Amino acid sequence: MDWKDLWASLPSEVRQQFDSQAQITEFKRGDLVYRQGDQPKGIYFVMQGLVGLVLIGQVSGKEHLLRFFREGQFFGHRALFSDEGYHGSTVALEPTVLKLVPKSLVISAIAKHPQLLMDVARVLSKELRRCENHQVMILENQILVRTAQAVVYLKELHPGHNWTRQEIANFCASTVSTIIKALAELEQSGLIKQQGRSIEILNREGLVALQDRSEL
């Protein structure tokens, strides 16, 4: 469910409250929205831009990109409803505009309109399915989506750096040979162009969209 679907399901008075009390914030590329371990402030709705969810591995200490949030999507709700700190950090990958609906307002709306719990349950159920699909993808060694995500994330946050295949493999928790094959497949699909260590993104939206297809 994207945020427009969720918004449309809200009673009119709740939508008015959310609109009047929401905080609109602009982020530059590379800005952190929140850090891993921070306490949840509310639900973030992506009005414009692209946000990456990043987790630092507890054992390896390496940075792992978990997923993207694009215009029309929302995030931050899992930590809010579980009353836990954020399990990862979120960073703007391009100029981004977010609408933050405060935690107190969300909790109050659900208390007054219990039917909203069904929408929340639906969202969380879909996310559980996505996590299970992602786990299967890892078990089956389907590295293409993670490589595409890594290319977008690394190139946009560090555009001047020519990433080695070893660096990309480390980021994806994979092997160099597997990353070379995945990059070759992305190039054959017309999504990227390689020249030596240099990787040029030809179809950014196509790379991002691979994630969506993996979640079906």
Side-chain angles (χ1 to χ4, degrees):
M1 177 185 291
D2 64 24
W3 71 261
K4 294 178 181 178
D5 291 334
L6 181 64
W7 215 259
S9 69
L10 297 173
S12 59
E13 69 264 29
V14 175
R15 288 201 303 271
Q16 291 172 2
Q17 271 193 315
F18 280 13
D19 280 328
S20 64
Q21 298 186 40
Q23 304 170 17
I24 306 295
T25 306
E26 297 183 8
F27 295 85
K28 300 188 297 294
R29 184 175 68 183
D31 284 350
L32 281 172
V33 179
Y34 57 70
R35 294 182 182 275
Q36 185 172 335
D38 286 353
Q39 291 303 304
K41 298 179 180 179
I43 298 179
Y44 293 87
F45 296 85
V46 184
M47 313 303 291
Q48 175 185 320
L50 183 70
V51 174
L53 173 62
V54 181
L55 181 67
I56 305 299
Q58 295 183 357
V59 176
S60 66
K62 294 179 180 178
E63 186 178 71
H64 302 282
L65 178 67
L66 300 184
R67 63 175 281 105
F68 294 125
F69 301 106
R70 298 187 291 171
E71 180 178 338
Q73 297 181 323
F74 57 93
F75 61 95
H77 51 286
R78 190 205 63 80
L80 187 152
F81 293 123
S82 63
D83 198 24
E84 299 174 329
Y86 293 117
H87 73 293
S89 301
T90 47
V91 58
L93 301 182
E94 61 182 41
T96 297
V97 179
L98 299 179
K99 174 186 287 188
L100 171 62
V101 177
K103 175 180 178 179
S104 59
L105 190 56
V106 174
I107 299 301
S108 175
I110 289 178
K112 293 177 181 177
H113 303 277
Q115 72 272 17
L116 296 180
L117 287 174
M118 289 301 299
D119 291 328
V120 172
R122 188 177 301 112
V123 169
L124 295 178
S125 296
K126 289 182 178 181
E127 291 186 346
L128 177 60
R129 182 192 66 186
R130 181 174 61 243
C131 290
E132 291 172 343
N133 288 346
H134 183 69
Q135 187 66 25
V136 170
M137 180 187 74
I138 293 174
L139 292 174
E140 293 183 348
N141 199 31
Q142 294 178 1
I143 193 66
L144 191 66
V145 173
R146 281 186 289 159
T147 304
Q149 290 176 334
V151 168
V152 172
Y153 180 76
L154 296 173
K155 289 289 291 181
E156 294 197 357
L157 279 191
H158 310 280
H161 182 70
N162 285 330
W163 294 90
T164 68
R165 282 29 178 187
Q166 182 66 65
E167 288 171 327
I168 298 174
N170 291 342
F171 186 84
C172 294
S174 185
T175 64
V176 173
S177 60
T178 301
I179 292 300
I180 289 174
K181 291 178 182 177
L183 290 172
E185 187 172 342
L186 294 175
E187 186 170 33
Q188 290 172 2
S189 300
L191 300 175
I192 65 171
K193 179 181 179 181
Q194 301 183 83
Q195 186 171 357
R197 280 175 52 183
S198 174
I199 299 174
E200 179 184 356
I201 294 177
L202 301 179
N203 185 345
R204 179 179 177 280
E205 289 304 312
L207 292 172
V208 173
L210 287 177
Q211 170 182 274
D212 297 334
R213 290 201 289 273
S214 73
E215 295 169 1
L216 296 177

